[in-house]
Amino acid sequence: MTTRQLFLQNVAQTSDFPLALEIQKAEGIYLYSETKKYIDLISGIAVSNVGHRHPKVVEAIKNQVDSYMHLMVYGEYVQTPQVNLAEAICKTLLGTGLNNVYFTNSGTEAVEGAMKLAKRFTRRTNIVACTKAYHGSTQGALSLGDEHFKRNFRPLLSSIDKIERNNFADLEKITNRTAAVFFEPIGGESGVQEANYEYLQALRKRCDEVGALLVFDEIQSGFGRTGKFWAFEYFDVKPDILLCAKGMGGGMPIGAFIASHEIMGVLKDNPILGHITTFGGHPVSCAASLATLNAIFEENMLYNPKNCKFGCIQSSCRSIECNLIEQKSQLFKKLLVHEKIKEVRGKGLMLAVEFESFEVLKPIIDQAIEKGVITDWFLYCDNSMRIAPPLIITEEQIRFACEVILSCL
């Protein structure tokens, strides 16, 4: 039997129409089959932010494997990769009060941990989440999602209320029963829907008024995807708990939920070991993540201060002359103009290209893949094309990818 036949027979499938591309190698923004080279315009769904097999990430993985891999369940041994990564992440969050990191294996697990943490800290049971938001597929995380994906898996968690993004009236649903509000500053699977600046200010204020924790899900938008290291930096609002995964591992599985010492400390007693994981914070994944974080800053993937007329400090500048990711974003928006394209929206390299319908979009995606450009759509917005390439994509590569997409229209 061929590898493709074995894939369909022995590997559990999640749809009746998998892409089924047989990739033999990946490097930079490219995936390679035996006969074809593809531009990965979605980064394995916002994962390969620094590109596939970034040399520093590969080196860090090899070095760590030579030292040790799994030693003990999470939190018992002092493991240098975990310690160094936690310190580096906290340095990106100075001034926020977010200074304690709990490592997980994935974004979904980060959501699960944050849900438990919020309920334990507030001693409340109600959780609020947005409509058309995807936070994961395990039963707790799925409970936060929309009915389409969860109706056939009930019973799930009760006491979940839904609000609509940017709907000020819905903030009244956040009450003194609410443990936490889970919110994406820039919605991923809703088709890259950005929060209104004033709305996020009001959301923060409402949470403070009723004593609810504000949880920002940056599983897709974190680690530079939007042009800031964290998307919430655009909105001048600090969360109580921050979630990340996907792009933080440089291709390795890892996630985290981050809070203050005060909040995180409740997991230590009543009961002891209030949240545990065997492989969370795996030393190889942590080494890869630290190399990813360092590469973003050391290689100036987000900013080029030399171009900035304001003499900026990287993380505080909002000038397009300084922000390399926003420059690339604007180039996509400039090039992707066609009568069939209704809108190109998003922040940085987290973009959605909207068409009339899924029936219009799907053949375009299929043709683009045939021509060597991989893209797809969104779970809750199937009339929009996802564009989330590695941050290292060049102007020349952007122009080529856009030419291919336009040729498919």
Side-chain angles (χ1 to χ4, degrees), residues 117-363:
L117 179 61
K119 290 194 286 187
R120 175 69 180 84
F121 181 78
T122 63
R123 298 186 179 277
R124 301 174 181 180
T125 58
N126 173 253
I127 293 179
V128 172
C130 265
T131 57
K132 295 186 177 180
Y134 177 77
H135 296 286
S137 290
T138 51
Q139 293 195 68
L142 185 62
S143 300
L144 303 179
D146 277 17
E147 190 62 26
H148 171 72
F149 281 97
K150 66 185 184 182
R151 66 168 58 99
N152 289 322
F153 301 102
R154 291 187 179 279
L156 297 170
L157 293 183
S158 59
S159 197
I160 305 292
D161 290 324
K162 301 305 286 288
I163 58 176
E164 185 179 349
R165 176 183 298 273
N166 294 330
N167 184 328
F168 285 82
D170 273 3
L171 296 180
E172 295 300 317
K173 296 181 181 180
I174 304 168
T175 71
N176 58 13
R177 294 176 49 252
T178 305
V181 179
F182 280 70
F183 193 87
E184 298 170 283
I186 300 177
E189 296 311 310
S190 59
V192 192
Q193 297 293 339
E194 187 174 340
N196 177 282
Y197 183 92
E198 291 75 18
Y199 174 81
L200 270 188
Q201 304 295 316
L203 174 61
R204 175 71 272 181
K205 181 180 179 182
R206 181 61 178 172
C207 288
D208 291 340
E209 288 172 348
V210 302
L213 299 183
L214 180 56
V215 182
F216 278 167
D217 181 339
E218 292 227 28
I219 290 168
Q220 285 197 41
S221 61
F223 271 66
R225 172 56 51 193
T226 67
K228 297 283 189 182
F229 195 80
W230 303 107
F232 76 81
E233 295 178 67
Y234 284 105
F235 301 98
D236 299 321
V237 171
K238 302 172 186 176
D240 298 298
I241 303 174
L242 178 64
L243 313 180
C244 56
K246 287 189 179 291
M248 73 180 290
M252 291 292 286
I254 189 171
F257 57 101
I258 309 163
S260 66
H261 276 276
E262 178 191 7
I263 293 175
M264 198 73 81
V266 300
L267 295 178
K268 293 189 292 187
D269 61 71
N270 195 23
I272 190 172
L273 303 176
H275 192 66
I276 52 179
T277 171
T278 298
F279 292 113
H282 192 282
V284 179
S285 291
C286 285
S289 181
L290 180 60
T292 297
L293 186 153
N294 287 339
I296 289 173
F297 288 108
E298 290 170 0
E299 299 178 18
N300 290 322
M301 292 185 188
L302 307 185
Y303 306 97
N304 186 356
K306 294 180 181 179
N307 293 344
C308 187
K309 58 187 176 185
F310 302 109
C312 75
I313 299 173
Q314 288 188 3
S315 61
S316 64
C317 187
R318 296 185 180 182
S319 165
I320 189 172
E321 289 86 359
C322 177
N323 193 318
L324 298 176
I325 304 304
E326 186 57 27
Q327 291 173 31
K328 295 173 183 182
S329 179
Q330 292 299 324
L331 182 57
F332 271 112
K333 293 175 180 178
K334 176 184 175 181
L335 295 174
L336 291 175
V337 177
H338 190 278
E339 60 182 10
K340 289 186 179 181
I341 296 176
K342 299 177 66 176
E343 179 186 19
V344 182
R345 63 178 173 272
K347 186 79 76 176
L349 290 177
M350 188 175 178
L351 300 171
V353 184
E354 184 175 335
F355 294 84
E356 184 66 33
S357 65
F358 179 73
E359 289 70 28
V360 172
L361 173 60
K362 182 59 164 63

Side-chain angles (χ1 to χ4, degrees), residues 336 338 340-341 353-377 383 385 401-402 404-409:
L336 291 175
H338 190 278
K340 289 186 179 181
I341 296 176
V353 184
E354 184 175 335
F355 294 84
E356 184 66 33
S357 65
F358 179 73
E359 289 70 28
V360 172
L361 173 60
K362 182 59 164 63
I364 296 169
I365 290 174
D366 293 342
Q367 290 181 51
I369 293 174
E370 282 295 316
K371 294 184 178 183
V373 174
I374 297 174
T375 182
D376 73 340
W377 60 93
N383 69 330
M385 175 187 291
C402 289
V404 170
I405 292 170
L406 292 171
S407 74
C408 298
L409 302 188

